[in-house]
Amino acid sequence: MKLGILRVLSLVIALAVAAPTLAQELRIGIAQEPSSVDPHFNLVGPDESLARHLFDTLILQDEQQRLTPGLAVSWQAVDERTWEFHLRPNVVFSDGSKFTAEDVAFTLKRAPNVEGSPGGYGIFTRQIKSVEIVDPLTIRLGTDNPYPLMPVDLSVVPIISHSVGEKVPSADFNSGKATIGTGPFKFVESVHGDRIVMERNDAYWGPKPAWQRVVLKPIPTDSARVAALLSGDVDMIDVVPPSVREDLAGRADIHVVQAVSNRVVYIHLDSNRDHSPFVTDLQGAALDRNPLRDPRVRAAISRAIDRRAIVDRIMAGLAAPAGQLLPPGFFGTSPNLPAEALDREGAKR
């Protein structure tokens, strides 16, 4: 059981400089360096963020995670166990080759089977039991059981070109040899610990990026990242330290942007087992039964948590109490699940 506590505000700040300079090159200091340029290697935030610039998915997500057309212009369930996707015409990869259903089929086969992957994309493709290429711009995916979340799952899987070959190693993406995508940017180079460079893809099917060139500079130390921004070494940073946010926001040459993100901090209760090795009596002895299986115990824990105090004192106000796993208004949320207020007497009862 996941007991939602709070959701975190995502922060980005930018240094205001002349627009003509920015239109040529944007330098961004990032807190976490991607583990690989291979879009299927590791299902973690930094890798996913980079992949979104270089590759597309069949279905995109807007800022509230609502589904919108991507490389697929439409999709529908043709029966209880079959989904059909109609692909966008006239899309080309960064090497000039045409995007077709063959690339989708190849991607779905490769994504869950990347050699050496510490955390791959199999969770999003495991329901797919058959792949049928109807024509170059139509593909059907079959499942053993009805699966209404297929479009949501495929909005996460980056599509790559089948031309890279079945045995393509992740190293070929890091070198740029296999980094062939349909995204808004084209890969230039990656120097571990120093920089990742991208250039605008003028053949991109969607809105063209404002920047001709973007350089991502890994700066994991908070103070060094802020110093790089203030000195002009970078134009923008992410993951702004809460301790300096107000000072930065008060400067005329800094613009601070913040929004509620989809990250949730929660307590995961061991409530599925009859006996939990993590729950004992006051003397450390095992209990006859796991009290976390009792919904009254879980409700008492939830009511005893002062979410507002955590927001104010630990998160420096840069969070909001959570009542569910996504912020209100996001795709899949309910207006009937507000954050639970502190109720010590209710917890005792």
Side-chain angles (χ1 to χ4, degrees), residues 22-60:
L22 285 177
Q24 295 301 313
E25 180 175 281
L26 179 68
R27 301 160 300 167
I28 306 175
I30 56 176
Q32 291 181 284
E33 183 177 14
S35 61
S36 176
V37 181
D38 184 342
H40 304 143
F41 181 72
N42 197 5
L43 185 60
V44 291
D47 293 44
E48 287 186 278
S49 180
L50 175 61
R52 293 284 173 165
H53 296 298
L54 303 171
F55 304 91
D56 286 313
T57 54
L58 285 180
I59 301 170
L60 303 178

Side-chain angles (χ1 to χ4, degrees), residues 50-57 60 71 91-95 158-160 179-187 198-209:
L50 175 61
R52 293 284 173 165
H53 296 298
L54 303 171
F55 304 91
D56 286 313
T57 54
L60 303 178
L71 290 178
V91 174
V92 295
F93 283 95
S94 55
D95 65 349
I159 302 299
I160 65 174
T179 314
I180 303 169
T182 62
F185 286 93
K186 296 187 292 185
F187 177 81
M198 303 176 288
E199 289 186 348
R200 182 170 59 210
N201 180 8
D202 290 325
Y204 182 53
W205 58 267
K208 306 300 186 292

